[in-house]
Amino acid sequence: MAPVTNPAPPSAATPEMTVPPLLQAYSGRRPERTPVWFMRQAGRSLPEYRAAREGVAMLDACLRPELAAEITLQPVRRHGVDAAIFFSDIVVPLRLAGVDVEIVPGVGPVVGEPVRTRADVDRLVQHRPGDHAAITEAVRLTVAELGPATPLIGFAGAPFTLAAYLVEGRPSRDHLAARTMMHAEPEAWRHLMRWAAEVTGAFLRAQVLAGARAAQLFDSWAGSLSLADYAAHAAPYSARALHHVKDLGVPVVHFGTGTGELLVAMRDAGADVVGVDYRIPLDEANRRLGGTTPLQGNVDPALLAAPWDVLEAHVRGVVARGRTAPGHVVNLGHGVPPGTDPAVLTRVVELVHSL
Ligand code: CP3
């Protein structure tokens, strides 16, 4: 009689090689090649981006499917990164919902009618999530070009970061008006945040349904909140936004800046992976998270303009500290600065892949 053998484990049916390194790392494994991509890799550091965008307003570019797909693919072709990030913006779902918002060059998102009072909130929440057809089309075109080897990451802004723009009306340093509203007008704040969670969650879901294989929630300005305020007035709405993709089974990354004190709360809002800015080292982030959460980060963008030997030593340090975590995807601690020499980014990719 033939000996009884255990059936092959599921991992043997899907050889590691067919799972892209990015997705292996996001699921807490150690792929043979350390994956790397850059926040804001699609953008002004590339001459081909500036050429493609010539004469087209930022948010209009986001809503032209062929153009958005082309810009998404540019950094993949040039740098050989392990993921594409969808070319769009966190305020696109606001525009699709009919909110008067522009991205002013050199300034950032500017809202026509800032939301300051309960009456402003009541007006805002009349806007329903818009039609995502242009997003769906752009994602489909992108995924078809990328093929199975390079995953597309979809993204959305977290409700707090969106509210920071809606309440202030424009970029601000300390988000004072938004932080006042959460305490002074708690009922208005709840309505605003529930609306933001629905609108941004629908945007994220549209990308994943159209073929994005991972999702990243950007709460760029969460670091201006205390842990107590974050937990009470921001995190529950990030959880609500992420609930929109929960059933789709893609890994979720949660990123913010200045969030060293918030890492655990950000993970517990429903993330599989936590993005870390450059302010704390990855081994410390891993310690704070109890050693169970894959990390993404955290090359200091300032060092992209430093001499190569300085940058190389820094990148090697980031990769070494990232090895303490259950999975690690190399990225920057924030976006690529517009003046970055693209050749430096390509060299960082080659270095990371060689380690
Ligand atoms: O390559 C990528 O990362 C994908 C595209 C992407 C953009 N914005 C394109 C963009 C992503 C992921 C974002 C996210 C985003 N947008 C965030 C979260 C990430 C972060 O940087 O903290 C935030 C806060 C925004 C809002 C926003 N949009 C700001 C603050 C700015 C910069 C203003 C400026 O001009 O300096 C934008 C504009 C923007 N978004 C550009 C790009 C390529 C520049 C627009 C241009 O080229 O004219």
Side-chain angles (χ1 to χ4, degrees), residues 37-44 49 53 58 85-91 103-109 155 161 165 218 220-221 255 334-335:
W37 67 278
F38 305 107
M39 293 185 281
R40 292 284 175 93
Q41 66 188 16
R44 284 173 297 186
Y49 168 77
R53 272 285 316 285
M58 173 64 193
I85 174 95
F86 184 49
F87 177 76
S88 196
D89 196 84
I90 60 166
V91 300
I103 289 182
V104 177
V107 177
F155 76 93
T161 290
Y165 287 110
F218 283 91
S220 303
W221 313 139
F255 168 80
H334 204 175

Side-chain angles (χ1 to χ4, degrees), residues 23 205 208 212-215 244-252 272:
L23 299 179
R205 185 173 177 84
V208 176
R213 292 162 77 189
H244 286 250
V245 294
K246 202 86 232 159
D247 61 315
L248 302 179
V250 296
V252 168
D272 303 294

Side-chain angles (χ1 to χ4, degrees), residues 24 37-38 48 76 138 150-151 168 175 177 187 192 212 223 228 236 242 251 263 278 331 348 351:
Q24 290 187 47
W37 67 278
F38 305 107
E48 59 269 35
V76 179
T150 311
E168 305 283 345
H175 320 295
E187 194 56 27
L192 170 60
L242 290 176
L263 296 177
Y278 51 87
N331 204 312
V348 170
L351 171 62

Side-chain angles (χ1 to χ4, degrees), residues 63-298:
L63 297 173
R64 289 195 197 171
E66 283 86 8
L67 185 55
E70 167 59 23
I71 294 174
T72 303
L73 294 163
Q74 285 176 345
V76 179
R77 291 188 199 117
R78 182 190 267 262
H79 301 308
V81 279
D82 293 275
I85 174 95
F86 184 49
F87 177 76
S88 196
D89 196 84
I90 60 166
V91 300
V92 164
L94 304 182
R95 164 67 72 88
L96 288 175
V99 175
D100 174 11
V101 57
E102 274 307 332
I103 289 182
V104 177
V107 177
V110 174
V111 178
E113 295 175 24
V115 177
R116 294 280 163 75
T117 63
R118 178 62 206 248
D120 295 338
V121 173
D122 288 343
R123 262 193 305 279
L124 179 75
V125 302
Q126 305 299 314
H127 294 268
R128 304 312 308 147
D131 178 354
H132 294 93
I135 302 302
T136 299
E137 177 65 9
V139 169
R140 287 208 181 117
L141 291 171
T142 307
V143 168
E145 281 284 320
L146 281 170
T150 311
L152 176 70
I153 302 171
F155 76 93
F160 174 71
T161 290
L162 289 175
Y165 287 110
L166 288 163
V167 177
E168 305 283 345
R170 53 194 302 111
S172 74
R173 206 166 49 87
D174 43 20
H175 320 295
L176 215 55
R179 292 193 292 115
T180 300
M181 190 198 257
M182 69 174 62
H183 292 284
E185 301 256 24
E187 194 56 27
W189 180 257
R190 271 196 289 280
H191 280 271
L192 170 60
M193 292 292 276
R194 277 197 208 118
W195 179 85
E198 191 185 340
V199 167
T200 208
F203 174 63
L204 192 58
R205 185 173 177 84
Q207 295 166 60
V208 176
L209 284 176
R213 292 162 77 189
Q216 178 158 327
L217 195 68
F218 283 91
D219 209 350
S220 303
W221 313 139
S224 69
L225 296 173
S226 66
L227 176 57
D229 278 350
Y230 178 74
H233 303 295
Y237 307 96
S238 296
R240 262 177 109 113
L242 290 176
H243 195 74
H244 286 250
V245 294
K246 202 86 232 159
D247 61 315
L248 302 179
V250 296
V252 168
V253 186
H254 202 172
F255 168 80
T257 66
T259 49
E261 303 303 317
L262 310 181
L263 296 177
V264 170
M266 290 177 73
R267 190 255 325 271
D268 294 348
D272 303 294
V273 179
V274 172
V276 182
D277 82 350
Y278 51 87
R279 291 174 180 85
I280 63 169
L282 291 179
D283 51 340
E284 173 59 14
N286 181 55
R287 193 191 62 74
R288 292 183 189 191
L289 285 158
T292 55
T293 307
L295 299 179
Q296 180 170 279
N298 69 347

